[in-house]
Amino acid sequence: MSLALVLAVVSAALPSQYTIPGDAVFPEGVSLRPGTDQFFVSSTGNGTIYRGTLGKPRVKVFLQPGKNGRVVANGLRAGRDHLVVAGSVTGFVFVYDYRGRLVRRFATGSGGLINDVALAPNGDAYVTDSMRGLLFRIKAKALSTRTSKTTRIGPFVRLANTPVGSFSNGIVTAGNRYALVVGTASGVLVRVDLKTKRVREVATPALPAGDGMARTGRTLYVVNSASKVTQVKLSRDWLRGTFVRDITSPRIHFATTVQIAGKRLLVVNSQFDKRGLTPELPFTVAAVRR
């Protein structure tokens, strides 16, 4: 059997969705640990962090809720050595090792919504705030320095008065020089120069309710609450984007974040529209072809 056929068989055997235990999870973030088949999912319901493997249909609890003040969790990003978690309205950014131990906690102040995380190739973390329109940076050395003390950090770039608007949400890096940020309310994608801090709008079709994003090469995937993933082809300078297609599936429901996993996309089904109502159980992460 050829290698290509073997890979096709393996891919076909993977689960089409991953189930999350709990009746009030309302998941938000998903991230694949580089070089492994492990992925992590966050809960906005109580801050639980779950861990799954691509070959198994069920995820399990990795970090119990509430510990370290993590009572809610939005986006998260898995690096090679640690997991960075956005603490939503708590204003915290949490860093854990893969044994589940807290490495460090960063405080951004009150009144915000720490929403999404991206890791640059040099290890620096960039975190969006969707209430105050801010972008924070945590240097790689600080991320990996273990301490029991909470470290206060200030804004790196103020996005509220730029085209992206106050509700800055999904973020990906483009090398060490740039970050791409989408605004949920504005539907605008911007390029942030991480050296000069200049913010420029990316000329692309509107991305209404844009939320989590994933990038490979010049291909960008943007999810939104309309239960679709929009694929965009970006220019070499990251300032122009061409619509390619919308990816839809009956398994996607009120999507919030997306992760590239080989030839598939992992898409979180948040069911945020069912808060205060009766969600469809179990909560899931859908796997669709990209």
Side-chain angles (χ1 to χ4, degrees):
M1 185 182 294
S2 69
L3 177 60
L5 184 56
V6 170
L7 292 175
V9 170
V10 171
S11 179
L14 291 172
S16 61
Q17 68 178 19
Y18 300 90
T19 60
I20 307 169
D23 58 6
V25 179
F26 298 102
E28 210 277 350
V30 61
S31 186
L32 185 69
R33 183 182 178 187
T36 76
D37 65 349
Q38 294 182 350
F39 66 93
F40 298 84
V41 181
S42 59
S43 165
T44 63
N46 60 16
T48 301
I49 305 298
Y50 301 88
R51 178 167 58 188
T53 56
L54 295 177
K56 297 181 179 180
R58 295 179 178 83
V59 306
K60 298 179 179 180
V61 173
F62 173 60
L63 298 174
Q64 294 287 346
K67 197 171 183 181
N68 316 123
R70 183 180 30 79
V71 295
V72 59
N74 276 42
L76 75 173
R77 192 65 57 188
R80 189 164 300 278
D81 301 313
H82 45 249
L83 180 70
V84 184
V85 180
S88 188
V89 294
T90 68
F92 294 127
V93 179
F94 305 90
V95 185
Y96 294 92
D97 64 23
Y98 289 112
R99 295 178 65 181
R101 300 174 301 186
L102 180 70
V103 175
R104 197 164 186 173
R105 189 176 76 166
F106 297 88
T108 67
S110 60
L113 196 165
I114 306 304
N115 206 338
D116 203 6
V117 183
L119 292 175
N122 65 4
D124 291 351
Y126 294 88
V127 185
T128 57
D129 184 321
S130 296
M131 290 295 288
R132 296 173 291 183
L134 300 174
L135 178 65
F136 295 89
R137 179 176 70 179
I138 305 172
K139 300 292 284 185
K141 184 177 180 180
L143 284 176
S144 59
T145 302
R146 191 180 298 273
T147 177
S148 60
K149 296 180 179 180
T150 299
T151 304
R152 180 66 182 265
I153 56 175
F156 177 66
V157 177
R158 297 183 182 275
L159 296 169
N161 294 322
T162 72
V164 77
S166 295
F167 208 98
S168 52
N169 196 337
I171 181 171
V172 295
T173 55
N176 292 315
R177 179 64 186 267
Y178 299 110
L180 302 172
V181 181
V182 69
T184 297
S186 65
V188 170
L189 182 71
V190 297
R191 187 196 75 175
V192 181
D193 189 318
L194 301 175
K195 182 177 180 181
T196 67
K197 301 185 182 182
R198 184 182 182 189
V199 180
R200 297 180 64 182
E201 183 172 349
V202 179
T204 185
L207 299 166
D211 201 328
M213 303 193 294
R215 180 188 67 82
T216 177
R218 302 287 165 179
T219 298
L220 182 70
Y221 297 97
V222 186
V223 301
N224 65 40
S225 54
S227 300
K228 65 182 180 181
V229 182
T230 299
Q231 182 179 339
V232 176
K233 187 68 174 179
L234 295 165
S235 62
R236 291 182 63 83
D237 62 2
W238 313 104
L239 288 174
R240 295 179 303 281
T242 303
F243 172 82
V244 177
R245 61 176 177 145
D246 282 329
I247 301 170
T248 60
S249 168
R251 296 193 302 276
I252 299 177
H253 180 74
F254 210 106
T256 48
T257 47
V258 59
Q259 168 70 64
I260 298 168
K263 294 184 178 181
R264 306 187 306 159
L265 299 175
L266 304 183
V267 184
V268 173
N269 293 316
S270 72
Q271 296 196 58
F272 284 171
D273 57 334
K274 297 293 182 67
R275 285 190 185 277
L277 302 174
T278 304
E280 297 178 13
L281 298 180
F283 287 95
T284 62
V285 175
V288 297
R289 290 190 63 84
R290 67 180 182 93

